[in-house]
Amino acid sequence: MTTELWKHPRYGHAWNLVKIGSGWYEVDSTWDDTGDNNEAARHKYFNVTTAYLENLGSSSHLRAAPYIGSLMETPIATGTTYTYSYMKNHYPNLFTNIVATGITTNMRTADIKTGETVTAQAYLTPSNVTNKYVKWTSSDPSVADVDGGVITGKSSGRAIITATAGSNPDLLTTIAVTVTTPITGIKLDRSSITMKIGDIFSINASTVPDNADDKSVSWISSNKEVATVNNGKVTATGSGTAVITAVSDANNAIKASCKVTVSLSSGADITVTSGKDTYKYEVLDDGFTVAFKGVSDKKVKTVDIPEVISDANGTKYTVTEIGKSALKGRKKLRKLTVPKTVTTIKKNAFKGCKELSQITIYGDTLEKIESGAFSGISKKATFTIRTSDKAKYKKIVKKIKKAGAKNAKFKRKKK
C-alpha cells in the first residue's frame, strides 16, 4: 500500500491518497468517523474516487492551483474495489461498531475558585466502545468553562458541566460546579493619620479582588484609650498612638492596619522635666506644635529650648513658638538657645532679663519677632545667629534690634 498527501490550497485541508493493489483511493480520516451514528455518513470519505469527492458539491476536496505537496495532479483515484462496503463484507471483524451504554465521571461535584482549574475524566462502558469521543459542555461558561474535561472557574456562581457520549447523544452525566471568589487582601486608604483629642476621621477599606464574594470586615483598635473605631470611623479619645486594623470576616488572617497618632487638644498644657527644672508648653491649634511658655525656676541661668518634646503618653510635638512673656523678668538668666524649629517669638518674651548676654538663635525658619521681645536684656548681649544665607541673617538682626536689643552685638555662623 502506498500513500500520498493532498492539501487544499485555500482552506488548508489535507487528506490522503492511498494505493491498494493497483488502484488509488481517496481517504479523508479527519472528515470520516465524525461521531454520527449513521454508518454510511460516518464513512462517506473512506476509499472513494476523486470524481466522487469532486461531485459532493463542496470545494473542500477540489484540487486547484497553486498546489501544495507532491503528486498533486496525478495519480487520480479511480479504484472501486476496496470500498467501505467491500471491506466490511470481507473483513467484518474490523467494522464491529460497539456503542456506549453507560457514562460516568470521576466527580459529581466540584468546588473551585475563580481562575482555578480541575480536570474531570469521563468513562464510557463498555470500555471497548468503538467511538470513544465525549462532548463536554457548560450550562454557563461565564461561571465555569470546560474544554476537554478541564473545568475553569470564571466568576462566582454555579454551573452544570455535562459529558455526553459521542456515539449516543442521549447518554450523558453531569457535574455540579460551584465557583467562589475569595478575598485575598484588604487595602486601606490611609496607612497613618494624626488627630487631636475629640477629632473624628473615617478610614475606607477595599477588598482584593474587588469582586470578592464576602467583602465584610471587622474593625479593631489596639488602644481604646487613644482611639476607638466603629465601622472605619475613628474617634480620638486620648493622646498617644493606636493601631486601627480591618480584619476580613471571611478569613481573619487577612487584615490591614493604620497607625493613629493623637495629640492633646489645642490650648492644653504640657510640662517636661529638664534636669532640676520644669519646662512649660502649650499646644497650638494644629495639635502637633507647641509654644514654649517658660520654666518653673525663677532663678534659672541657662535655658536651652528643644526642637521637639513629648507628652506623658509619648506623643511628640514640635516647638515652633516662644510664648508671650515666656521668660519675662528672669533676672538671673544669662544664656539662651532658640532652636531652628521656632518661627515666632512673641511679645515681651525675654523682657527684663537684664543678665541675658549670650543668645544663640538657629534662624532659618524664624519669621516673626514681636515688640519688646528683647527689651531690657544685658547691654553687653551678643547674638550668634546661625543661618544658611546672609540675607536671612540681616533680616533677623533688624527684627531683633526693633524688638529692643538696639545695642547688642551680632555675629553670623553658618548653620
Side-chain angles (χ1 to χ4, degrees):
M1 181 173 73
T2 304
T3 62
E4 294 292 341
L5 174 68
W6 293 85
K7 185 174 182 182
H8 189 277
R10 179 179 178 186
Y11 297 100
H13 183 62
W15 67 96
N16 296 307
L17 188 64
V18 181
K19 185 178 183 182
I20 305 175
S22 61
W24 287 91
Y25 300 84
E26 304 264 13
V27 179
D28 190 343
S29 58
T30 60
W31 284 42
D32 197 20
D33 294 320
T34 60
D36 194 318
N37 284 326
N38 185 312
E39 187 175 0
R42 289 176 57 225
H43 297 91
K44 189 175 182 178
Y45 300 92
F46 179 82
N47 282 6
V48 297
T49 65
T50 300
Y52 171 83
L53 281 184
E54 293 181 345
N55 288 327
L56 287 177
S58 169
S59 62
S60 299
H61 292 85
L62 295 179
R63 304 175 188 179
Y67 301 121
I68 302 174
S70 61
L71 299 178
M72 297 303 289
E73 295 181 354
T74 59
I76 301 297
T78 58
T80 57
T81 301
Y82 297 100
T83 62
Y84 171 70
S85 60
Y86 175 89
M87 297 294 289
K88 182 178 179 181
N89 289 333
H90 288 78
Y91 304 95
N93 292 337
L94 299 179
F95 291 85
T96 302
N97 185 27
I98 302 174
V99 179
T101 58
I103 184 170
T104 59
T105 56
N106 61 334
M107 61 185 72
R108 297 294 295 168
T109 62
D111 295 320
I112 59 176
K113 300 173 183 177
T114 303
E116 285 186 347
T117 62
V118 63
T119 300
Q121 294 178 338
Y123 307 100
L124 297 172
T125 55
S127 60
N128 62 337
V129 296
T130 302
N131 184 359
K132 298 182 182 298
Y133 172 72
V134 175
K135 182 180 180 181
W136 295 90
T137 57
S138 171
S139 65
D140 191 346
S142 68
V143 172
D145 199 7
V146 62
D147 182 10
V150 179
I151 304 169
T152 303
K154 294 294 187 179
S155 63
S156 296
R158 292 176 179 164
I160 300 299
I161 301 300
T162 301
T164 306
S167 62
N168 185 354
D170 295 325
L171 192 63
L172 53 85
T173 187
T174 60
I175 302 170
V177 177
T178 300
V179 181
T180 57
T181 307
I183 184 173
T184 59
I186 296 174
K187 291 182 179 180
L188 302 182
D189 62 348
R190 292 296 184 94
S191 60
S192 64
I193 55 175
T194 56
M195 307 174 70
K196 293 185 292 184
I197 293 175
D199 285 352
I200 296 174
F201 188 90
S202 291
I203 303 173
N204 297 309
S206 58
T207 61
V208 180
D210 57 8
N211 63 336
D213 295 331
D214 189 346
K215 299 181 181 181
S216 61
V217 298
S218 296
W219 296 86
I220 302 170
S221 172
S222 66
N223 189 347
K224 294 181 180 179
E225 298 298 319
V226 172
T228 60
V229 61
N230 181 17
N231 197 29
K233 185 169 71 173
V234 180
T235 301
T237 55
S239 72
T241 59
V243 177
I244 302 299
T245 303
V247 183
S248 167
D249 290 339
N251 183 349
N252 61 15
I254 296 174
K255 59 188 69 175
S257 299
C258 173
K259 182 181 179 182
V260 177
T261 303
V262 180
S263 73
L264 296 169
S265 302
S266 59
D269 293 326
I270 301 175
T271 57
V272 179
T273 300
S274 178
K276 296 180 180 180
D277 206 353
T278 299
Y279 283 38
K280 301 175 183 179
Y281 303 89
E282 180 181 308
V283 179
L284 299 176
D285 288 343
D286 70 355
F288 287 90
T289 60
V290 292
F292 171 75
K293 300 293 288 185
V295 297
S296 59
D297 185 2
K298 293 184 178 181
K299 296 181 179 181
V300 66
K301 294 182 180 181
T302 301
V303 173
D304 189 352
I305 301 171
E307 295 178 10
V308 178
I309 65 165
S310 298
D311 66 17
N313 294 318
T315 300
K316 296 183 181 299
Y317 305 81
T318 302
V319 181
T320 60
E321 185 178 297
I322 310 297
K324 180 180 178 181
S325 303
L327 292 174
K328 181 181 178 180
R330 299 302 169 96
K331 297 179 181 180
K332 298 292 183 179
L333 180 62
R334 296 179 180 178
K335 189 175 181 180
L336 170 69
T337 301
V338 177
K340 64 183 180 182
T341 54
V342 169
T343 61
T344 302
I345 299 176
K346 288 287 194 176
K347 184 177 180 180
N348 299 332
F350 307 106
K351 183 178 181 179
C353 297
K354 63 181 183 178
E355 296 295 324
L356 181 57
S357 58
Q358 297 179 51
I359 304 101
T360 300
I361 298 176
Y362 291 81
D364 272 348
T365 62
L366 183 59
E367 296 295 334
K368 187 176 182 181
I369 302 174
E370 294 185 356
S371 63
F374 292 102
S375 64
I377 65 172
S378 173
K379 294 180 180 179
K380 298 179 180 180
T382 298
F383 284 83
T384 301
I385 302 172
R386 292 183 175 271
T387 59
S388 57
D389 65 80
K390 197 169 184 179
K392 181 69 173 181
Y393 164 77
K394 290 181 178 180
K395 288 181 180 180
I396 292 175
V397 170
K398 185 176 180 180
K399 291 177 182 179
I400 291 173
K401 287 182 176 181
K402 190 175 181 180
K406 295 180 180 179
N407 300 317
K409 295 180 180 180
F410 298 90
K411 59 182 179 180
R412 173 181 174 260
K413 288 187 177 182
K414 293 181 179 180
K415 66 173 185 176

